[in-house]
Amino acid sequence: MKNLRAIVACHSIFPPQSNIEKIGYHFQAEYMSASAADDNLCARVVSRIDEWKARWSGAITPRLHVTKLSDEIFILHDTRGLAGLAEIEFIDEAQSRVSLTGNRGGAASDVIRWALARSACLNIDDELVPLATADPELLDSFEALSQQKHDVHSSSFLDFAGTAA
């Protein structure tokens, strides 16, 4: 950043003898930005936004939804229209759980890799963020399982910490 200065409006608000650079709290500056460096970036972003709007105004709304068929088999229904991804995929309980709860249940690394490759989760700030939806009963059951696993890990740690003292 260079040429940092108080915005022009500050000079209209404060008395002329004021040290605007010390008392101002709105500033402008010159800085590098991706949109200034790439003339086509804004056009590409607007194009992607238009695509997103068109998907949401279409007959089939984009969604990533998990449905339970049995204790071992689930369906991942993906109408987001992402290139290279099947609209319907049969998945197992571990894949379903990570798609709905992220890594709160301590998912195996291969399941996490699957979820990221499948765009069922995103890695945001080293946190696995789930993108799928499900009926409330299924989501509640996975949330309860995740909480039980968390409680077991916590109580094991507390038991260990208590015996070490």
Side-chain angles (χ1 to χ4, degrees):
M1 217 180 337
K2 61 183 180 181
N3 196 16
L4 181 66
R5 61 206 176 277
I7 62 171
V8 174
C10 289
H11 296 279
S12 304
I13 297 169
F14 298 108
Q17 68 274 17
S18 301
N19 187 344
I20 302 297
E21 302 308 316
K22 289 195 178 211
I23 61 174
Y25 51 88
H26 291 290
F27 296 89
Q28 59 190 34
E30 296 169 24
Y31 55 91
M32 292 296 300
S33 79
S35 62
D38 181 353
D39 293 338
N40 295 319
L41 178 63
C42 288
R44 290 193 312 268
V45 169
V46 168
S47 174
R48 295 300 301 264
I49 291 169
D50 290 343
E51 288 173 20
W52 180 82
K53 286 179 181 178
R55 282 191 189 131
W56 278 92
S57 64
I60 299 174
T61 55
R63 74 181 199 157
L64 183 65
H65 191 81
V66 176
T67 303
K68 183 176 182 176
L69 291 181
S70 70
D71 287 343
E72 297 87 25
I73 302 171
F74 298 78
I75 293 178
L76 183 66
H77 188 203
D78 189 348
T79 59
R80 297 175 297 171
L82 301 178
L85 298 179
E87 184 174 333
I88 295 177
E89 183 175 348
F90 292 95
I91 60 176
D92 62 25
E93 190 264 343
Q95 292 167 317
S96 298
R97 186 176 341 106
V98 78
S99 298
L100 293 168
T101 65
N103 197 24
R104 283 179 270 168
S109 60
D110 63 322
V111 176
I112 292 171
R113 281 192 301 276
W114 169 86
L116 291 169
R118 184 63 176 84
S119 296
C121 292
L122 295 176
N123 184 348
I124 299 177
D125 296 330
D126 292 326
E127 190 73 30
L128 195 64
V129 179
L131 300 178
T133 62
D135 293 336
E137 299 79 20
L138 179 58
L139 189 55
D140 287 346
S141 70
F142 282 141
E143 290 285 348
L145 277 172
S146 294
Q147 185 60 45
Q148 287 172 356
K149 287 185 178 193
H150 174 70
D151 290 346
V152 167
H153 292 304
S154 296
S155 66
S156 297
F157 173 75
L158 291 175
D159 291 344
F160 174 76
T163 59

